[in-house]
Amino acid sequence: MTSAPDPVQTLAHAVDPAAPILLFDSGVGGFTVLEEVRKVLPDAPILYAADTAGLPYGAKTEAQIAARVAGLLGRLTERYRPRLVCIACNTASTIALGMVREVLEVPIVGTVPAIKPAAVLTRSGVIGLLGTEATIRQAYVDRLEHEFAAGKRLLRHGAPELVEAAEAKLRGQPFDAGAVVRAAEALRSMPDGDRIDTVVLACTHFPLLEPELAQAFGPDVRFVHGAAGIARQIARLTAGQEYARQSDDLALFTGSGNAPDAYAKALRRYGFAKGEVF
């Protein structure tokens, strides 16, 4: 009697080896996730899409973000046929992840604030959370707090200026270092803020500023973000699949034709031969 085929193996063999993993972000913060993906899946073709024309997401309404993310990912998946989509953006994930999973017939990995590991790491019981204004007000974050940080104190601060600073830093341009100091002071000034020993970087842009944040918060504060965990999840969902890079990895940008030139040095640093406008 012939046994039934393993559905996981069948799915793995059905994937085009040249199909890319699509990483999507409002800007280039998702490069922090890309770094971790390349560590665990060095042979995987990568397509990176930055919605620079829509930046910053944190200042938009939930409806605007959901419609924009779903529309762009629909176009991208139809054109490039990725094997998996990673929304490498906390704001987009906390708002649009459910909608995107309903409309796209491709595995979707989201990015959520790393509250669970922060709750394990903290010794003082006081955790700071830095995100965009749109992220920190989401019910999704409330649920993460109730589920994983019960008995802890989670102090939230929306720091949209850090997105701008991170983007400028990656472009090699001067950036507002004062924005980092102001973000740290905002958390420290809250009740029990002086006891913060762990900070969740709930925006993929913010790890790009970790050296500056470490200086602003002091040596006794640890920073947590979810990039490594996201990469592990992508590796798990693509386990057994073959990879065949038939062309250079590609970075796409929405907006003006000057966007790829503005990020030329960063693209080379992160292994992209070129960038194009989508």
Side-chain angles (χ1 to χ4, degrees):
M1 184 176 181
T2 304
S3 61
D6 184 333
V8 175
Q9 291 183 348
T10 300
L11 178 62
H13 289 303
V15 174
D16 180 357
I21 292 171
L22 168 59
L23 300 177
F24 174 87
D25 184 31
S26 60
V28 291
F31 281 177
T32 59
V33 177
L34 171 65
E35 280 190 307
E36 298 298 326
V37 172
R38 285 228 174 96
K39 290 177 184 177
V40 296
L41 297 171
D43 298 324
I46 299 292
L47 175 66
Y48 187 93
D51 184 20
T52 43
L55 192 71
Y57 276 10
K60 290 180 168 53
T61 67
E62 281 79 352
Q64 288 173 324
I65 293 168
R68 188 171 186 89
V69 172
L72 285 171
L73 287 179
R75 290 168 53 198
L76 288 163
T77 54
E78 181 178 4
R79 179 172 176 180
Y80 293 98
R81 303 294 182 184
R83 69 182 71 209
L84 177 145
V85 173
C86 173
I87 304 178
C89 172
N90 284 269
T91 301
S93 293
T94 55
I95 293 170
L97 185 59
M99 174 188 292
V100 172
R101 281 178 169 160
E102 288 180 359
V103 300
L104 297 184
E105 296 181 357
V106 61
I108 310 290
V109 175
T111 306
V112 297
I115 292 172
K116 182 178 180 179
V120 174
L121 286 173
T122 182
R123 294 295 175 263
S124 69
V126 183
I127 302 165
L129 187 146
L130 289 174
T132 67
E133 293 169 326
T135 294
I136 67 168
R137 67 174 179 253
Q138 295 306 311
Y140 194 105
V141 179
D142 296 338
R143 291 195 295 272
L144 290 174
E145 179 181 1
H146 294 322
E147 184 173 356
F148 299 115
K152 315 291 183 183
R153 186 165 177 80
L154 183 70
L155 306 179
R156 311 181 196 184
H157 176 65
E161 293 175 302
L162 296 187
V163 175
E164 300 171 10
E167 289 275 324
K169 181 180 178 180
L170 205 59
R171 290 193 300 266
Q173 298 173 342
F175 62 92
D176 182 9
V180 177
V181 175
R182 289 190 293 273
E185 290 177 345
L187 281 177
R188 289 295 198 193
S189 66
M190 295 179 183
D192 291 326
D194 59 327
R195 297 174 54 220
I196 290 173
D197 66 351
T198 306
V199 174
V200 177
L201 302 180
C203 173
T204 54
H205 280 83
F206 294 177
L208 296 170
L209 297 169
E210 190 166 333
E212 290 81 7
L213 286 165
Q215 184 174 0
F217 276 97
D220 297 328
V221 172
R222 289 173 289 189
F223 298 93
V224 183
H225 58 87
I230 296 164
R232 289 193 296 270
Q233 175 70 348
I234 292 172
R236 187 185 70 80
L237 291 175
T238 58
Q241 296 179 6
E242 296 181 359
Y243 297 104
R245 186 179 279 108
Q246 296 180 349
S247 59
D248 292 331
D249 290 344
L250 177 63
L252 299 173
F253 298 84
T254 61
S256 72
N258 295 327
D261 294 334
Y263 293 98
K265 289 183 179 179
L267 291 176
R268 289 194 294 270
R269 173 183 166 189
Y270 285 93
F272 293 100
K274 62 178 179 178
E276 297 179 357
V277 174
F278 174 73

